[in-house]
Amino acid sequence: MTSEAALEWLSSTQFFGIKLGLDNTRQLLAHLGNPERKLRIIHVAGTNGKGSVCAMCDAVFRSAGRRTGLYTSPHLYELRERMRVSGEMIPRSELAALLTSLHECCATWAHEPTFFELTTVLALSHFSRSQCEIVLLETGMGGRLDATNAVTPAVSVISPIALDHSEWLGNSIVEIAREKAGIIKPGIPVVSARQLPEAEAVLREVAQQNASPITFVEHPYEGKIGLVGDHQKWNAALAIAAIESEGTTSPLAIEEGLRTVQWPGRFQRLTDRLIVDGAHTPHAAATLVETWR
C-alpha cells in the first residue's frame, strides 16, 4: 500500500471502537516475529502523568547516550508522534510498509484489529528494527487488558490512580487500581507514585501475589524540570525511581534529562496569556487549576 492508503486503512479501524484484550495484539506480534521479545521495556500505567513520566525517562536515557523508543498516545498533530526513536518520528515509508504487512495478516479476520492494537504493534516492531536499547511504553487505557500488556517489561511503573474510563475499568478506585495493577508481572520490579490508600492496598496485594518487589515514591524531586507544576516534581521522582530500578544511575544524565525535557500539551505556554493543557479527568483538571493559580 502507498503511505496514504496505509494511513487511510489504519484510520478506518477507529470505527471499530475499543476492544480490550490481548489476543489480537499477540497474533499480530507473532506475524512480525515477536519484536517485543528483543526489547528492554519500561511499562507505564496509571490515570494521570503517564506521558510525562515516559517523556522524562526518555530524556534521561537519551542524556545517558542510550537509543530510546518512546510510545505514547494520543498524538497532537500526526500519528507518527506516537512512535519515536531518540526523538525522531517513525519514517513514513516504514510506517506504510509495516501497515501493509499487518493489513495482509488480518485481511481474513472476521473482525479487524483496533486502531490502538495496530499502533502498539507498529511501535514495537519499529523499535526492534531500530535496535532501541530501552523502550518507554505507555498504556492506552487500564492495564490488564490493554494492548501494551502483551510485553514482559524490565520495570512496571504506575502513576497516580484516579477515576477514569469508568465504563470500561470500573466505578471505584479499587476496581480501577486492579485493572492498572494488571501490568505487574511475576518477579518484575514495580515502582509507584503516591496513591490513595485503597489503591495502594491493591497494588501491594497484586505485587505480593506476583512476588514482585514494589516501591512507592515518598518525596518529590527538588531539581530543575523542563515541565511546569508541582505535580511534575512528583512525576520526576517516579521517573527517577523507574530509571534507577532499570539500572541507570547517572546523576548527570538524570539532572540534564529532567532539566531539558519537553512534553507538548502539558501546561504548555504558547504566549504570556495562552496555555495549552490536555487535562481530561477531574483529577487532572484539579491539578491544572492548582498549577494555573
Side-chain angles (χ1 to χ4, degrees):
M1 288 190 290
T2 64
S3 179
E4 292 75 14
L7 287 173
E8 184 176 344
W9 171 66
L10 177 62
S11 180
S12 72
T13 63
Q14 294 182 81
F15 296 113
F16 298 111
I18 295 171
K19 177 184 178 297
L20 297 179
L22 303 179
D23 290 346
N24 284 352
T25 304
R26 287 172 173 156
Q27 191 170 343
L28 291 170
L29 287 170
H31 172 71
L32 294 179
N34 290 111
E36 78 285 0
R37 297 179 184 175
K38 304 172 185 176
L39 298 170
R40 187 164 179 81
I41 296 170
I42 293 180
H43 193 193
V44 184
T47 299
N48 293 306
K50 300 189 298 295
S52 295
V53 170
C54 286
M56 290 175 180
C57 289
D58 179 70
V60 170
F61 284 124
R62 288 165 62 188
S63 293
R66 297 178 72 178
R67 188 167 176 79
T68 63
L70 176 63
Y71 177 63
T72 58
S73 60
H75 57 272
L76 296 181
Y77 296 103
E78 65 167 304
L79 171 75
R80 296 188 303 131
E81 294 170 27
R82 297 176 180 234
M83 311 155 209
R84 300 174 186 258
V85 171
S86 292
E88 297 295 323
M89 294 187 292
I90 182 173
R92 289 184 175 85
S93 58
E94 183 172 356
L95 182 64
L98 286 170
L99 278 172
T100 299
S101 178
L102 292 176
H103 183 265
E104 292 170 353
C105 170
C106 63
T108 59
W109 290 12
H111 300 284
E112 286 192 324
T114 66
F115 179 90
F116 190 73
E117 289 168 340
L118 289 166
T119 56
T120 299
V121 172
L122 278 170
L124 292 169
S125 180
H126 176 52
F127 297 153
S128 179
R129 290 180 174 210
S130 302
Q131 298 182 319
C132 290
E133 298 171 86
I134 187 73
V135 169
L136 296 314
L137 192 69
E138 179 191 7
T139 60
M141 183 177 69
R144 182 176 64 91
L145 297 175
D146 188 81
T148 60
N149 206 30
V151 308
T152 298
V155 185
S156 300
V157 182
I158 302 179
S159 70
I161 295 171
L163 293 175
D164 70 323
H165 298 295
S166 294
E167 68 273 29
W168 296 97
L169 305 180
N171 294 308
S172 71
I173 294 295
V174 168
E175 290 177 305
I176 292 173
R178 200 162 292 282
E179 291 298 319
K180 310 287 187 183
I183 72 165
I184 296 175
K185 303 293 197 307
I188 302 297
V190 184
V191 294
S192 172
R194 292 186 306 171
Q195 303 288 355
L196 295 169
E198 56 268 45
E200 178 177 337
V202 170
L203 297 185
R204 288 190 183 277
E205 175 193 342
V206 176
Q208 183 178 28
Q209 291 170 349
N210 284 275
S212 301
I214 186 167
T215 303
F216 289 84
V217 169
E218 296 181 353
H219 304 287
Y221 176 68
E222 297 298 344
K224 293 184 178 179
I225 308 174
L227 305 180
V228 178
D230 286 345
H231 62 292
Q232 296 292 9
K233 297 177 182 179
W234 285 98
N235 285 337
L238 181 59
I240 292 171
I243 290 162
E244 292 179 342
S245 183
E246 188 275 333
T248 300
T249 56
S250 167
L252 288 177
I254 290 172
E255 180 181 349
E256 174 69 11
L258 293 177
R259 183 180 63 81
T260 59
V261 63
Q262 297 182 353
W263 195 226
R266 280 72 177 178
F267 210 83
Q268 180 184 4
R269 190 183 297 274
L270 301 184
T271 69
D272 287 343
R273 295 181 56 81
L274 180 59
I275 289 171
V276 176
D277 192 277
H280 61 286
T281 68
H283 180 265
T287 300
L288 172 59
V289 171
E290 180 181 345
T291 304
W292 179 276
R293 287 174 175 166

